[in-house]
């Protein structure tokens, strides 16, 4: 996978996957990713954590809790369906499937998988409760904390 920047291609040598450490599905997928043979090393970092803020100060960290976000070592940002595909692309056993998922035939399948995961998350996550300052506490975290 390569990104175009200013007319030149940047190869991806390492990827950082920001995952919701409070989500059982996300934690399960993190463990699964770590067990796979990686062609491109994956760093798995809890989304909206102190480490994520330190490594990516300009990123919308609240958004990383809403959908999977993957960041390439050249500054490439992948979200949602593209993030899932790039994770598979990084894995030896799943790279051919990732290429298919980017085709017109495969893209709807990838999108449906991401939507199913989001639905599962919404059904298994703790309900949103209003906090005193109008923010919503995210799955057991107090507003404004990481």
């Amino acid at each position: 996978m390569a990104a175009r920047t200013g007319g030149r291609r940047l190869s991806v040598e390492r990827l950082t996957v920001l995952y919701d450490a409070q989500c059982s599905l996300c934690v399960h997928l993190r463990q699964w990713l770590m067990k796979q043979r990686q062609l491109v090393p994956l760093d798995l970092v809890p989304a909206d954590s102190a480490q994520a803020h330190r490594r990516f100060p300009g990123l919308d960290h609240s958004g990383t809790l809403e959908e999977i976000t993957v960041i390439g070592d050249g500054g490439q940002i992948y979200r949602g369906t593209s993030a899932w595909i790039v994770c598979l692309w990084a894995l030896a056993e799943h790279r051919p499937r990732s290429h298919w998922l980017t085709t017109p035939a495969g893209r709807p399948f990838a999108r449906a998988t991401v939507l199913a995961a989001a639905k599962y998350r919404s059904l298994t996550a703790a309900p949103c409760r209003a906090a005193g300052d109008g923010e919503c506490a995210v799955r057991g975290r107090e507003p404004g904390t990481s």
Side-chain angles (χ1 to χ4, degrees):
M1 184 145 303
R4 290 195 182 276
T5 305
R8 60 175 203 210
R9 293 175 67 88
L10 296 175
S11 64
V12 178
E13 304 291 329
R14 184 171 214 90
L15 294 165
T16 300
V17 180
L18 300 176
Y19 70 97
D20 184 350
Q22 303 300 314
C23 165
S24 61
L25 176 61
C26 302
V27 171
H28 173 77
L29 290 171
R30 175 201 178 275
Q31 292 167 343
W32 180 81
L33 286 169
M34 294 307 297
K35 291 177 185 175
Q36 305 303 306
R37 188 165 63 92
Q38 299 172 4
L39 297 173
V40 175
L42 298 174
D43 297 327
L44 288 111
V45 175
D48 202 23
S49 66
Q51 181 183 8
H53 281 267
R54 189 173 46 257
R55 289 180 68 177
F56 308 106
L59 191 64
D60 170 19
H61 289 279
S62 62
T64 65
L65 288 170
E66 297 301 318
E67 64 181 345
I68 182 173
T69 303
V70 178
I71 302 169
D73 55 353
Q76 308 91 332
I77 298 176
Y78 307 92
R79 295 184 191 275
T81 304
S82 295
W84 286 109
I85 293 171
V86 80
C87 283
L88 293 175
W89 173 83
L91 305 176
E93 299 299 318
H94 300 282
R95 185 167 278 184
R97 174 65 44 117
S98 74
H99 290 294
W100 178 77
L101 290 170
T102 63
T103 68
R107 192 73 181 192
F109 178 78
R111 181 73 182 139
T113 302
V114 170
L115 290 173
K119 182 66 173 178
Y120 176 84
R121 263 187 97 204
S122 73
L123 294 173
T124 59
C128 181
R129 59 186 189 273
D133 61 1
E135 287 186 40
C136 178
V138 178
R139 286 181 284 295
R141 280 183 257 195
E142 293 303 315
T145 64
S146 306

